[in-house]
Amino acid sequence: MIALAICVAVPVLVGAVSGLSTADSVSTWYLEIARPSFTPPSWVFGPVWTILYLAMGFAAFLVWRSGPGEREVRVALGAFVIQLVLNGIWTPLFFGVRNLGLAFAEILVLWVAIAVTLLLFRRRSLLAGALLVPYLAWVSFATVLNFSFWRLNA
């Protein structure tokens, strides 16, 4: 149970820290810039990201449980950590630094990291891989959204 709690808490904390560090920009600057017509309402992001972070954490737990200490597990969890760091960097780039172009470049790298992680997780647990599919789908949408923000506000 401790391993599960840690695996779930880490992504949730990354999301919370990232979100809290840019809360001022979300309630000011973000409301003032041009938004694409398909931008979801602001209230959607919190619940969606919470669910995705919980799913990521449970997926990481399933992979860890599949063979703690095994090389393939360490590699998969290493990829997970890399994509989580990239995930945590995107919000400050977009909302903190307000560099939409750099945030777009970074989210492309994040997308690749998520895809690699998903494939590595799937080798250890079909459920773990499946749990990352909504995350990859949401980041795919976020990538298109980020690009649109960049183009509208360049």
Side-chain angles (χ1 to χ4, degrees), residues 28 46 53 57 60 62 71 84 86 102 104 109 115 117 119 136 151 154:
T28 57
Y53 286 129
L62 292 173
R71 183 184 188 287
L84 194 56
L86 291 166
L102 184 58
F104 176 67
V109 176
T117 303
L119 293 173
L136 185 63
R151 300 307 301 154

Side-chain angles (χ1 to χ4, degrees), residues 5-30:
I6 291 169
C7 287
V8 170
V10 169
V12 169
L13 285 171
V14 166
V17 168
S18 182
L20 288 174
S21 70
T22 58
D24 287 342
S25 284
V26 172
S27 61
T28 57
W29 169 79
Y30 178 72

Side-chain angles (χ1 to χ4, degrees), residues 23-99:
D24 287 342
S25 284
V26 172
S27 61
T28 57
W29 169 79
Y30 178 72
L31 298 176
E32 297 167 1
I33 62 173
R35 286 185 290 245
S37 61
F38 57 93
T39 303
S42 295
W43 64 264
V44 169
F45 293 95
V48 168
W49 276 111
T50 300
I51 291 165
L52 293 174
Y53 286 129
L54 292 171
M56 277 189 260
F58 188 63
F61 171 73
L62 292 173
V63 170
W64 174 81
R65 190 180 69 175
S66 76
E70 291 182 21
R71 183 184 188 287
E72 189 175 62
V73 169
R74 287 192 315 269
V75 169
L77 292 176
F80 178 79
V81 168
I82 290 167
Q83 69 79 27
L84 194 56
V85 168
L86 291 166
N87 178 299
I89 290 170
W90 182 86
T91 301
L93 288 177
F94 190 92
F95 291 103
V97 179
R98 301 175 184 177
N99 189 328

Side-chain angles (χ1 to χ4, degrees), residues 121-136:
F121 272 28
R122 189 171 179 270
R123 289 183 188 165
R124 296 304 298 195
S125 164
L126 290 176
L127 179 55
L131 285 167
L132 294 186
V133 170
Y135 176 35
L136 185 63

